[in-house]
Coordinates of all heavy atoms in Angstrom, one line a residue:
G14 N -6.4 1.9 -9.1 CA -6.2 1.2 -10.4 C -7.6 0.9 -10.9 O -8.6 1.4 -10.5
E15 N -7.6 -0.1 -11.9 CA -8.8 -0.5 -12.6 C -8.8 -2.0 -12.6 O -7.8 -2.6 -12.8 CB -8.9 0.1 -14.0 CG -9.0 1.6 -14.0 CD -10.4 2.1 -13.5 OE1 -11.4 1.4 -13.5 OE2 -10.4 3.3 -13.1
Q16 N -10.0 -2.6 -12.6 CA -10.1 -4.0 -12.9 C -10.8 -4.2 -14.2 O -11.7 -3.5 -14.6 CB -10.9 -4.7 -11.8 CG -10.2 -4.9 -10.5 CD -10.8 -5.9 -9.7 OE1 -11.2 -7.0 -10.2 NE2 -11.0 -5.6 -8.4
F17 N -10.4 -5.2 -14.9 CA -10.9 -5.6 -16.2 C -11.3 -7.1 -16.2 O -10.8 -7.9 -16.9 CB -10.0 -5.2 -17.4 CG -9.7 -3.8 -17.5 CD1 -8.5 -3.3 -17.0 CD2 -10.6 -2.9 -18.0 CE1 -8.2 -1.9 -17.0 CE2 -10.4 -1.5 -18.1 CZ -9.2 -1.1 -17.6
L18 N -12.2 -7.4 -15.2 CA -12.7 -8.8 -14.9 C -11.6 -9.7 -14.4 O -11.9 -11.0 -14.4 CB -13.4 -9.3 -16.2 CG -14.6 -8.6 -16.7 CD1 -15.1 -9.2 -18.0 CD2 -15.7 -8.6 -15.6
E19 N -10.4 -9.3 -14.0 CA -9.5 -10.2 -13.4 C -10.0 -11.0 -12.2 O -9.7 -12.1 -12.0 CB -8.2 -9.4 -12.9 CG -7.4 -8.8 -14.0 CD -7.9 -7.3 -14.2 OE1 -9.0 -6.9 -13.8 OE2 -7.1 -6.6 -14.9
H20 N -10.9 -10.3 -11.4 CA -11.5 -10.9 -10.2 C -13.0 -10.8 -10.3 O -13.7 -10.8 -9.3 CB -10.9 -10.3 -9.0 CG -9.5 -10.5 -8.8 ND1 -8.9 -11.7 -8.4 CD2 -8.4 -9.7 -9.1 CE1 -7.6 -11.6 -8.4 NE2 -7.3 -10.4 -8.8
G21 N -13.6 -10.7 -11.5 CA -15.0 -10.7 -11.6 C -15.6 -9.3 -11.6 O -16.8 -9.2 -11.5
F22 N -14.8 -8.3 -11.6 CA -15.4 -6.9 -11.5 C -14.8 -6.1 -12.6 O -13.7 -6.3 -13.1 CB -15.0 -6.2 -10.2 CG -15.5 -6.9 -8.9 CD1 -14.8 -7.8 -8.2 CD2 -16.8 -6.6 -8.5 CE1 -15.3 -8.4 -7.1 CE2 -17.3 -7.3 -7.4 CZ -16.6 -8.2 -6.7
M23 N -15.5 -5.0 -12.9 CA -15.1 -4.0 -13.9 C -14.9 -2.7 -13.1 O -15.6 -2.5 -12.1 CB -16.1 -3.8 -15.0 CG -16.1 -4.9 -16.1 SD -14.7 -5.0 -17.1 CE -14.8 -3.5 -18.1
K24 N -14.0 -1.9 -13.5 CA -13.7 -0.6 -13.0 C -12.9 -0.7 -11.7 O -12.0 -1.5 -11.6 CB -14.9 0.3 -12.9 CG -15.6 0.5 -14.3 CD -16.5 1.6 -14.3 CE -17.0 1.8 -15.7 NZ -17.7 3.0 -15.9
H25 N -13.3 0.1 -10.7 CA -12.5 0.1 -9.5 C -13.4 0.3 -8.2 O -14.6 0.4 -8.3 CB -11.5 1.3 -9.5 CG -12.2 2.6 -9.7 ND1 -12.5 3.1 -10.9 CD2 -12.7 3.5 -8.8 CE1 -13.1 4.3 -10.8 NE2 -13.2 4.6 -9.5
C26 N -12.7 0.2 -7.1 CA -13.3 0.4 -5.8 C -14.3 -0.8 -5.4 O -15.2 -0.6 -4.6 CB -14.1 1.7 -5.7 SG -13.0 3.2 -5.9
H27 N -14.0 -2.0 -5.9 CA -14.8 -3.2 -5.5 C -13.9 -4.0 -4.6 O -14.5 -4.8 -3.9 CB -15.2 -3.9 -6.7 CG -16.1 -3.2 -7.6 ND1 -17.4 -2.9 -7.3 CD2 -16.0 -2.7 -8.8 CE1 -18.0 -2.3 -8.2 NE2 -17.1 -2.1 -9.2
T28 N -12.6 -4.0 -4.7 CA -11.8 -5.0 -4.0 C -10.5 -4.3 -3.5 O -10.2 -3.1 -3.8 CB -11.4 -6.1 -4.8 OG1 -10.4 -5.8 -5.8 CG2 -12.6 -6.8 -5.5
L29 N -9.7 -5.1 -2.8 CA -8.3 -4.6 -2.4 C -7.3 -5.5 -3.1 O -6.2 -5.7 -2.6 CB -8.2 -4.6 -0.9 CG -9.1 -3.6 -0.2 CD1 -8.8 -3.6 1.3 CD2 -8.8 -2.2 -0.7
F30 N -7.6 -6.1 -4.2 CA -6.6 -6.8 -5.0 C -5.6 -5.7 -5.6 O -6.0 -4.5 -5.7 CB -7.3 -7.5 -6.2 CG -8.0 -8.7 -5.8 CD1 -9.4 -8.7 -5.9 CD2 -7.4 -9.9 -5.3 CE1 -10.1 -9.9 -5.5 CE2 -8.1 -11.0 -4.9 CZ -9.5 -11.0 -5.0
D31 N -4.4 -6.1 -5.9 CA -3.4 -5.2 -6.5 C -3.9 -4.4 -7.7 O -3.5 -3.3 -7.9 CB -2.1 -5.9 -6.8 CG -1.2 -6.1 -5.5 OD1 -1.7 -5.6 -4.4 OD2 -0.2 -6.6 -5.6
T32 N -4.8 -5.1 -8.5 CA -5.3 -4.4 -9.7 C -6.0 -3.1 -9.3 O -6.1 -2.1 -10.1 CB -6.3 -5.3 -10.5 OG1 -7.2 -5.8 -9.6 CG2 -5.5 -6.4 -11.2
D33 N -6.6 -3.0 -8.1 CA -7.3 -1.8 -7.6 C -6.4 -0.9 -6.8 O -6.5 0.3 -6.9 CB -8.4 -2.2 -6.7 CG -9.7 -2.4 -7.5 OD1 -9.8 -2.0 -8.6 OD2 -10.7 -2.9 -6.9
I34 N -5.4 -1.4 -6.1 CA -4.7 -0.6 -5.1 C -3.2 -0.3 -5.4 O -2.6 0.5 -4.8 CB -4.8 -1.1 -3.7 CG1 -4.2 -2.5 -3.5 CG2 -6.3 -1.1 -3.3 CD1 -4.1 -3.0 -2.1
R35 N -2.6 -1.1 -6.3 CA -1.2 -0.9 -6.6 C -1.1 0.1 -7.7 O -1.5 -0.1 -8.9 CB -0.6 -2.2 -7.0 CG 0.9 -2.1 -7.1 CD 1.6 -3.4 -7.2 NE 3.0 -3.2 -7.3 CZ 3.9 -4.1 -7.5 NH1 3.5 -5.3 -7.7 NH2 5.2 -3.9 -7.6
T36 N -0.6 1.3 -7.4 CA -0.7 2.5 -8.4 C 0.7 3.1 -8.5 O 1.6 3.0 -7.6 CB -1.7 3.5 -7.9 OG1 -1.3 4.0 -6.6 CG2 -3.1 3.0 -7.8
P37 N 0.9 3.8 -9.5 CA 2.2 4.5 -9.7 C 2.4 5.7 -8.8 O 1.4 6.4 -8.5 CB 2.2 4.9 -11.2 CG 0.8 5.0 -11.6 CD 0.1 4.0 -10.7
L38 N 3.6 6.0 -8.5 CA 4.0 7.3 -7.8 C 5.3 7.7 -8.3 O 6.3 6.9 -8.2 CB 4.0 7.1 -6.3 CG 4.6 8.3 -5.5 CD1 3.7 9.5 -5.7 CD2 4.7 7.9 -4.0
A39 N 5.4 8.8 -9.0 CA 6.6 9.3 -9.5 C 6.8 10.7 -9.0 O 5.9 11.5 -9.0 CB 6.6 9.3 -11.0
L40 N 8.0 11.0 -8.6 CA 8.4 12.4 -8.1 C 9.6 12.9 -8.8 O 10.5 12.2 -9.1 CB 8.7 12.3 -6.6 CG 7.6 11.8 -5.6 CD1 8.2 11.5 -4.3 CD2 6.5 12.8 -5.5

Side-chain angles (χ1 to χ4, degrees):
E15 295 291 336
Q16 283 201 48
F17 298 101
L18 296 175
E19 295 92 343
H20 298 281
F22 297 97
M23 286 291 289
K24 300 199 178 190
H25 58 272
C26 299
H27 296 290
T28 73
L29 294 179
F30 289 111
D31 277 359
T32 50
D33 272 347
I34 64 171
R35 192 169 178 188
T36 59
L38 171 61
L40 301 167

